[in-house]
Amino acid sequence: MNNLFDLNSVIRPHILTLAPYSSARDEYTGHSGIFLDANENPYGSVTVEDYNRYPDPYQAEIKAKLSPIKKIDTQRIFLGNGSDEPIDLLIRATCTPEKDHVIILPPTYGMYEVSASIHNVKIDKVSLTADYQIDVDAVLKAITPDTKIIWVCTPNNPTGNVMQDEAIVTLLNNFNGLVVVDEAYVDFKDSVSWISRLDEFPNLVVLQTFSKAWGLAGIRAGMCFASADLIKILNKIKSPYNISLPAQRVLLEGLDGVQKKDEMVKEILKERASLRTMLENLSLVNKVFPSDANFLLVHFDDAKAVMDYLINEAVIVRDRSKVHLCEGCLRITVGTEYENEVLVESLKKYQQNSVIAQTL
């Protein structure tokens, strides 16, 4: 437990006293009545389904269904437009432009740096170790009085590995700012979510998403779990209706599909193991890195040439060859059995063509 952490000292002073926008749905939260308060169209929508009413700004029904699934009180849940919204809001809530700092641990998810840069917040980069773990001593040395957030992605994107619990605990206990643990790929790993330790660490924030295991990337919905006081701050500074009515309806339906989500995850894990084996049997593949996510980081001699060939074959992977500590690597999402076979067959063709070219 970090007994020295004080949320009020981390939040920008003017945010603490900010009077938030009060929407029509803040004044009345019921579902029935004569609604003459929000200047909506009373006759419905131009579409077959009606979307003429503003959605619940705090998504109460969704949080009520999500709470028992995640085993956390609704007051400690924030729902955003993807995980990118809480990433942006956390920076806005804590960091004064041109003054405050955040620490990122490359190679990692790119939006931490992009969001900080948009707000003109200073970025301190502390490289992961050669085996993609947190260099705890280096991170602690990088902390300054103006450091407000340390971003930890686990399982990490693009490397796929889980960060060691002891390292994260050390950061939480020795840093008086926020440690944000991004668990976008949490459903694909064996270890327990950091949500279970929120009571233990007042400066812990956990991010998750509906985009990966839940298969809802198209509706753009992410989750943030933190202390009730920090969630109040995020609700204060977010856009009034940050999750649309269609997205909320899909989420309410989707939360009934936990069993289907688990079945899809099981299938993805099976295909991940199969794809790893097929890739490791190719001579052009130098290494397939261990993964606790729904993708594999794969090292090639000439990743750019492989990438270009796959694009010509209409097989699209992610080029990470210019990313720190990922030189020569492509990130390959685990697809269906058919998609994975098409990928491997394309790589075999590239391999055969390379052998032929060398003999000419």
Side-chain angles (χ1 to χ4, degrees):
M1 171 74 76
N2 185 343
N3 294 315
L4 297 178
F5 176 75
D6 176 18
L7 180 62
N8 287 346
S9 69
V10 177
I11 302 299
R12 297 164 70 186
H14 76 282
I15 297 292
L16 293 172
T17 58
L18 175 73
Y21 174 77
S22 179
S23 73
R25 295 300 173 258
D26 283 319
E27 298 171 1
Y28 179 73
T29 58
H31 296 287
S32 60
I34 305 294
F35 290 96
L36 305 177
D37 56 344
N39 302 334
E40 300 153 325
N41 185 332
Y43 293 105
S45 305
V46 296
T47 53
V48 173
E49 195 166 353
D50 283 337
Y51 297 113
N52 57 314
R53 299 298 181 188
Y54 285 110
D56 175 5
Y58 303 111
Q59 310 93 30
E61 286 186 77
I62 299 169
K63 290 176 182 177
K65 290 184 76 170
L66 183 61
S67 175
I69 294 173
K70 297 297 181 180
K71 298 180 175 59
I72 189 168
D73 188 82
T74 57
Q75 301 304 309
R76 304 182 74 173
I77 302 172
F78 176 87
L79 297 177
N81 185 348
S83 297
D84 296 333
E85 183 180 10
I87 288 171
D88 180 80
L89 291 176
L90 287 165
I91 292 172
R92 281 201 273 162
T94 61
C95 295
T96 299
E98 298 186 331
K99 175 184 178 293
D100 289 327
H101 295 228
V102 298
I103 293 176
I104 65 172
L105 312 176
T108 192
Y109 180 46
M111 279 306 296
Y112 313 140
E113 181 173 0
V114 170
S115 290
S117 297
I118 288 171
H119 294 293
N120 203 13
V121 169
K122 296 177 182 179
I123 303 158
D124 297 316
K125 298 181 181 181
V126 180
S127 174
L128 295 177
T129 62
D131 59 349
Y132 301 138
Q133 288 298 327
I134 300 171
D135 187 339
V136 176
D137 290 340
V139 174
L140 294 178
K141 287 178 183 176
I143 294 171
T144 75
D146 295 320
T147 303
K148 294 297 184 70
I149 302 175
I150 299 173
W151 301 97
V152 179
C153 189
T154 180
N156 189 42
N157 177 11
T159 60
N161 63 294
V162 172
M163 299 298 165
Q164 293 170 346
D165 286 358
E166 318 87 78
I168 298 175
V169 168
T170 300
L171 297 182
L172 286 162
N173 283 329
N174 291 278
F175 176 51
N176 292 329
L178 300 177
V179 177
V180 183
V181 177
D182 189 344
E183 294 186 327
Y185 302 94
V186 65
D187 296 280
F188 305 103
K189 71 185 182 93
D190 293 330
S191 50
V192 176
S193 167
W194 280 88
I195 293 175
S196 64
R197 305 190 72 173
L198 282 169
D199 287 334
E200 189 178 348
F201 302 105
N203 54 336
L204 173 62
V205 180
V206 180
L207 301 180
Q208 292 185 8
T209 182
F210 288 102
S211 295
K212 312 302 181 184
W214 292 86
L216 296 174
I219 69 167
R220 306 307 303 127
M223 298 164 270
C224 177
F225 306 93
S227 68
D229 288 338
L230 180 54
I231 296 301
K232 287 178 184 176
I233 295 291
L234 298 183
N235 281 327
K236 180 190 284 193
I237 64 175
K238 76 176 183 68
S239 300
Y241 305 107
N242 59 321
I243 298 185
S244 71
L245 182 57
Q248 291 197 34
R249 289 175 178 174
V250 171
L251 280 176
L252 279 172
E253 178 186 351
L255 287 172
D256 291 327
V258 175
Q259 182 177 346
K260 182 177 180 180
K261 184 263 293 182
D262 291 342
E263 290 170 354
M264 290 191 294
V265 167
K266 185 177 179 180
E267 191 66 23
I268 289 169
L269 295 180
K270 184 186 81 171
E271 288 301 322
R272 185 181 73 189
S274 175
L275 178 59
R276 167 183 290 280
T277 299
M278 289 190 289
L279 290 171
E280 288 176 337
N281 287 332
L282 296 175
S283 61
L284 82 163
V285 171
N286 294 324
K287 183 174 182 177
V288 181
F289 290 86
S291 176
D292 289 289
N294 67 333
F295 59 83
L296 296 170
L297 188 69
V298 185
H299 186 269
F300 299 86
D301 282 331
D302 191 345
K304 182 65 168 60
V306 174
M307 176 79 176
D308 290 343
Y309 182 84
L310 289 176
I311 287 175
N312 287 332
E313 295 287 304
V315 178
I316 315 304
V317 299
R318 194 77 188 272
D319 186 359
R320 303 283 80 186
S321 61
K322 294 181 181 179
V323 173
H324 174 65
L325 294 182
C326 297
E327 292 82 2
C329 291
L330 302 179
R331 193 193 70 191
I332 301 174
T333 304
V334 177
T336 64
E337 180 180 3
Y338 168 76
E339 290 170 334
N340 296 335
E341 288 174 353
V342 171
L343 164 72
V344 173
E345 287 304 312
S346 295
L347 290 173
K348 286 179 179 178
K349 286 185 207 174
Y350 173 85
Q351 185 172 277
Q352 291 166 358
N353 292 343
S354 298
V355 171
I356 293 170
Q358 291 171 7
T359 60
L360 294 177

